Amino acid sequence: MVLLTRPQESRMNGAEALLQTLIDSDVEVCFANPGTSEMQLVAAIDKIPGMRPILGLFEGVVTGAADGYGRMADKPAATLLHLGSGFSNGMANLHNAKRAFTPIVNIVGDHASYHLELDAPLTSDVPGHAALASDWYRISDSAETMAQDGADAVAASLEGRCASVIVPANYAWTEGAEPVAPKAASERPKVADDLISQAANALKSGEASCLFLGGKALREDGLNAAARIAAATGARLISEVFPARIQRGRGRPSVERLPYLGEFAADALKDLKHMVLVGAKAPVSFFAYPDKPGRLWPEQCNLIELANQLQDQVGALEALADALEAPAEVVLEDTPLPEIPTGPMTAETVGAVIANLMPENAVVSDESNTSGIFSYGYYDGAAPHDWMTLTGGAIGQGLPLAMGAAVACPNRKVINLQADGSAMYTNQALWTMVREDLDVCVVIYNNSSYAILDLELMRVGVENPGERARSMLDLSNPSLDWTKLAEGMGVPATRASSTEEFKAQFEEAMANKGPRLIEVML
């Protein structure tokens, strides 16, 4: 018997085999901030076609962009990060991505395995770093296993997990490796029939009830099934405070958004007797406060977890609708758009302009924080669009999330509603938007303050804060000039001080492609 082997020159090193496997697994984009330990992977991207490399000037931009890409593409991008320090720089937005159940594959370089014992300056516990912000991680133990590690990471990410592969540099450059076939993603587990019956019986009781929705339940198919259930039972439809992605606008069911402030949320839920959870955890206060409860549902409320974040949420809603013999279709009433006022500009007038003028099929990355609280409902009457929020509460997400969404959806306008303080965490994303010519309009709400913390200081019981306390929440000394910051990174920028000015500037932004920034002075 004659054994046929590949010619020696056709064999790959570990980095090349890993990269080819990722490409074969339909990973098309790599958001990168590499260092020396990752140079073999950089060289592999240059050598092997099929992977689009996108440079981010800070790792928090890289990981936030991968989050935005994954939410909109429903498949992972790769990140390329340098050692434990680089991974840690990106950890805040990986925290947000975990809370969004976004598919991400992090490739984290490490020192050569034999170099670790020398304790060079950048040596750290890379697996320890990865474990803090990954649902799944693995350390490659040879060049030959790197490709399989990559295939397994992609499969894990498609289950809704943040996956990380740690690659020692010597395995990346060692030859003799080969790519492996993509690994089929597991189907999301279906919900048991007895749980469907339990939820149906609760909703048919005639007592006050709601569907509490998150995850894939907030996509159009899930919302349509939820609307059928509401029509059959009178149940309220309520979304979690910060959904990863909700499809909104004309022709889609409207959903109440649970208020951020715990006491307002508790008041909104106080009459409920049954709460059916679909793709969301039971609601709790973001923080503990003196003499205030952490759990927001009333004591008399019966909680039923129909489908968790990793299960088939849409299938569960459709099965529940069928069990209730709900109408096949629900006639939806359009929500009227707000009028655009004239005169002095407020955060609400900005929202009114955007809701009226945003194009069909836009994608919104919302990190407006306090500036967007009272205008969120305006967009129920806007053109159909997707809305993404700050899932994990770690600020600095909005700009890179918009950047990643624009890479995933190049033919859709992306609008970033952005608080000024949060934007300073990852303003390097503006540079990448220009470099990649991404169609993103950034609206900066410049109120020269961490306004949410002004509120939180009061809510924890601090009265009459002094000058030093107030100075830690104030951004006006010196004032941020976002038009100059944006122009310094190549983004065309304008400033609006009235509703009329903002309307004209936003109309122009919607009519033209490419990155731009509008600074609204509040």
Side-chain angles (χ1 to χ4, degrees), residues 1 52 105 128 133 165 181 197 209 265 298 327 361 367 491 515:
M1 182 174 64
R52 176 183 176 183
V105 174
V165 179
S197 297
S209 61
N361 217 27
E367 196 181 18
V491 178

Side-chain angles (χ1 to χ4, degrees), residues 212-219 238-240 243 278-280 309 313:
F212 191 63
L213 305 173
K216 296 290 178 68
L218 294 172
R219 305 289 181 89
I238 305 176
S239 85
E240 57 189 348
V278 189
Q309 293 91 335
Q313 299 144 41

Side-chain angles (χ1 to χ4, degrees), residues 70-399:
R71 292 194 203 188
M72 295 308 302
D74 284 326
K75 66 178 185 178
T79 72
L80 185 56
L81 304 170
H82 183 44
L83 303 170
S85 300
F87 188 91
S88 293
N89 280 343
M91 197 177 290
N93 276 329
L94 288 177
H95 164 78
N96 291 325
K98 279 188 64 176
R99 289 289 178 169
F101 293 86
T102 303
I104 291 179
V105 174
N106 302 302
I107 307 301
V108 191
D110 199 1
H111 289 299
S113 57
Y114 56 80
H115 195 71
L116 288 173
E117 66 182 25
L118 301 180
D119 194 26
L122 271 171
T123 302
S124 64
D125 181 5
V126 180
H129 287 74
L132 291 173
S134 306
D135 301 296
W136 181 103
Y137 76 95
R138 183 177 296 168
I139 309 163
S140 293
D141 58 14
S142 70
E144 290 80 6
T145 61
M146 280 174 59
Q148 188 63 58
D149 296 340
D152 291 345
V154 173
S157 78
L158 290 171
E159 295 174 359
R161 303 181 188 277
C162 178
S164 299
V165 179
I166 300 164
V167 178
N170 54 316
Y171 302 149
W173 69 57
T174 298
E175 297 185 348
E178 295 192 31
V180 301
K183 188 173 180 178
S186 302
E187 288 190 6
R188 288 180 176 258
K190 296 190 180 300
V191 174
D193 290 341
D194 60 343
L195 200 53
I196 298 288
S197 297
Q198 182 184 347
N201 289 333
L203 295 177
K204 288 190 296 185
S205 68
E207 298 177 315
S209 61
C210 82
L211 295 176
F212 191 63
L213 305 173
K216 296 290 178 68
L218 294 172
R219 305 289 181 89
E220 191 162 12
D221 288 347
L223 290 171
N224 287 335
R228 293 174 58 205
I229 294 166
T233 65
R236 291 162 61 191
L237 304 183
I238 305 176
S239 85
E240 57 189 348
V241 179
F242 290 125
R245 175 182 170 189
I246 178 171
Q247 296 190 291
R248 310 179 64 197
R250 291 190 300 273
R252 291 169 172 167
S254 295
V255 179
E256 299 176 50
R257 184 180 183 181
L258 191 70
Y260 167 78
L261 299 180
E263 50 268 48
F264 293 168
D267 185 66
L269 304 175
K270 69 179 186 301
D271 296 326
L272 291 176
K273 296 297 190 292
H274 304 282
M275 178 183 291
V276 178
L277 308 172
V278 189
K281 293 183 177 180
V284 298
S285 175
F286 252 63
F287 302 100
Y289 299 94
D291 303 318
K292 294 178 182 177
R295 296 181 180 181
L296 299 178
W297 65 93
E299 287 187 12
Q300 79 278 5
C301 185
N302 170 36
L303 293 182
I304 301 171
E305 185 179 61
L306 182 64
N308 66 29
Q309 293 91 335
L310 299 179
Q311 290 178 299
D312 180 6
Q313 299 144 41
V314 175
L317 286 168
E318 291 175 340
L320 179 56
D322 291 342
L324 290 164
E325 298 182 347
E329 293 185 14
V330 177
V331 177
L332 302 173
E333 294 184 9
D334 284 338
T335 302
L337 282 165
E339 292 186 6
I340 299 176
T342 58
M345 185 167 58
T346 66
E348 287 69 49
T349 65
V350 171
V353 169
I354 297 171
N356 276 273
L357 299 182
M358 66 189 298
E360 187 166 338
N361 217 27
V363 180
V364 177
S365 171
D366 177 17
E367 196 181 18
S368 56
N369 298 342
T370 53
S371 294
I373 289 175
F374 298 110
S375 58
Y376 180 80
Y378 294 173
Y379 299 90
D380 285 339
H385 62 279
D386 287 77
W387 192 284
M388 303 183 295
T389 71
L390 181 63
T391 48
I395 64 175
Q397 182 191 45
L399 283 163

Side-chain angles (χ1 to χ4, degrees), residues 454-501:
D454 285 324
L455 177 62
E456 295 290 1
L457 195 65
M458 177 188 68
R459 295 180 72 228
V460 297
V462 178
E463 298 180 2
N464 301 315
E467 181 180 348
R468 287 190 294 176
R470 291 196 303 270
S471 72
M472 289 187 281
L473 313 180
D474 174 56
L475 304 180
S476 64
N477 183 26
S479 295
L480 296 169
D481 188 330
W482 275 98
T483 57
K484 290 182 179 178
L485 285 166
E487 289 167 352
M489 286 185 270
V491 178
T494 55
R495 176 179 291 140
S497 298
S498 69
T499 303
E500 290 83 359
E501 286 181 349

